[in-house]
Amino acid sequence: AALQHCSMIAGLLQYLLLANAMVVGSVQLLTRDNWHEHITGRHDWFIMFSQQGCPHCKRLEPMWEAMETRLGAAGEGVRVGRVNVSTDNGIALTFDVERFPTLLILSADGRAYEFQERRRSLPLLSAFATGGYRNQLSSLAVPTTLRPNEPQWWLLLRSLWKPLKQTVVVAFSIAACLAGGIKLLIYACGIRVPEEAAEGEATNKKKAG
């Protein structure tokens, strides 16, 4: 009886493992090759843009799998997908995705809505996917063509350029403010710079002559 009991437990565990494997494989991986096959305008799509090595993306994966199961079981008609930006960065460039993970709803009427809440939970994500996105004021038109993939080195330079540009602008602004403040302080204290002192002396000499 004990042997039969252990056999039943082993069979149950095997079933659960297989069921879990089926769930894990249920989220559709979207690539350049199958994008237009799936994004046809007949369904809403909730898509996670993830990147290899991103710890935040890794933590979100189990919830994303559960999202697909929940929406599928509810018959909401919302498809759940994932884009691996490390291999298909052209899709991310098409939608100006720069942070990971980024979650986008591509509605059947051709608009893209980003989930912008800092807190991510299954109820919040489900509510957003099943119509909550319509309350969002900002949206973008879904492009009909995808941008080509770019080399990784170019993406690295592109990611560094924005913060570098902002740093340079801030540095110049600070330098200009400091220069203006110093000049104002000099005039307020009545201190004459060498050039102005020399001009003053030349003027006085002319008047004396």
Side-chain angles (χ1 to χ4, degrees), residues 40-115:
T40 59
R42 291 196 295 268
H43 307 283
D44 289 351
W45 276 87
F46 203 6
I47 302 172
M48 176 174 75
F49 289 78
S50 61
Q51 192 173 43
Q52 290 177 359
C54 167
H56 302 291
C57 303
K58 192 69 177 176
R59 284 196 293 270
L60 188 61
E61 282 179 4
M63 189 184 297
W64 205 243
E65 302 291 349
M67 268 288 300
E68 201 284 334
T69 304
R70 180 168 181 163
L71 293 177
E76 296 290 350
V78 181
R79 304 292 192 265
V80 179
R82 180 174 65 87
V83 173
N84 183 357
V85 178
S86 298
T87 55
D88 281 290
N89 60 62
I91 302 176
L93 292 172
T94 301
F95 290 92
D96 291 326
V97 172
E98 297 180 344
R99 294 175 290 103
F100 304 101
T102 289
L103 310 178
L104 290 183
I105 279 281
L106 305 188
S107 64
D109 60 358
R111 305 296 298 180
Y113 303 83
E114 182 179 355
F115 182 83

Side-chain angles (χ1 to χ4, degrees), residues 6-183:
C6 290
S7 178
M8 289 176 62
I9 292 176
L12 179 60
L13 288 173
Q14 185 176 5
Y15 172 79
L16 290 174
L17 287 172
L18 287 172
N20 182 65
M22 290 175 65
V23 170
V24 168
S26 58
V27 171
Q28 177 64 53
L29 179 64
L30 297 169
T31 66
R32 289 183 58 82
D33 295 331
N34 67 11
W35 180 265
H36 293 293
E37 175 187 344
H38 293 288
I39 312 300
T40 59
R42 291 196 295 268
H43 307 283
D44 289 351
W45 276 87
F46 203 6
I47 302 172
M48 176 174 75
F49 289 78
S50 61
Q51 192 173 43
Q52 290 177 359
C54 167
H56 302 291
C57 303
K58 192 69 177 176
R59 284 196 293 270
L60 188 61
E61 282 179 4
M63 189 184 297
W64 205 243
E65 302 291 349
M67 268 288 300
E68 201 284 334
T69 304
R70 180 168 181 163
L71 293 177
E76 296 290 350
V78 181
R79 304 292 192 265
V80 179
R82 180 174 65 87
V83 173
N84 183 357
V85 178
S86 298
T87 55
D88 281 290
N89 60 62
I91 302 176
L93 292 172
T94 301
F95 290 92
D96 291 326
V97 172
E98 297 180 344
R99 294 175 290 103
F100 304 101
T102 289
L103 310 178
L104 290 183
I105 279 281
L106 305 188
S107 64
D109 60 358
R111 305 296 298 180
Y113 303 83
E114 182 179 355
F115 182 83
Q116 297 176 338
E117 296 286 340
R118 292 179 63 86
R119 188 166 63 91
R120 298 184 180 109
S121 67
L122 199 56
L124 285 175
L125 292 172
S126 299
F128 183 76
T130 54
Y133 66 86
R134 296 189 183 93
N135 298 325
Q136 193 165 296
L137 297 178
S138 59
S139 67
L140 298 173
V142 176
T144 56
T145 58
L146 298 176
R147 289 181 57 177
N149 289 334
E150 299 286 356
Q152 290 297 326
W153 62 266
W154 171 252
L155 294 179
L156 179 61
L157 289 177
R158 187 172 180 267
S159 65
L160 292 174
W161 169 244
K162 276 191 175 181
L164 180 61
K165 183 180 178 181
Q166 291 174 353
T167 302
V168 171
V169 170
V170 170
F172 272 109
S173 300
I174 293 174
C177 290
L178 287 175
I182 291 171
K183 193 171 183 181

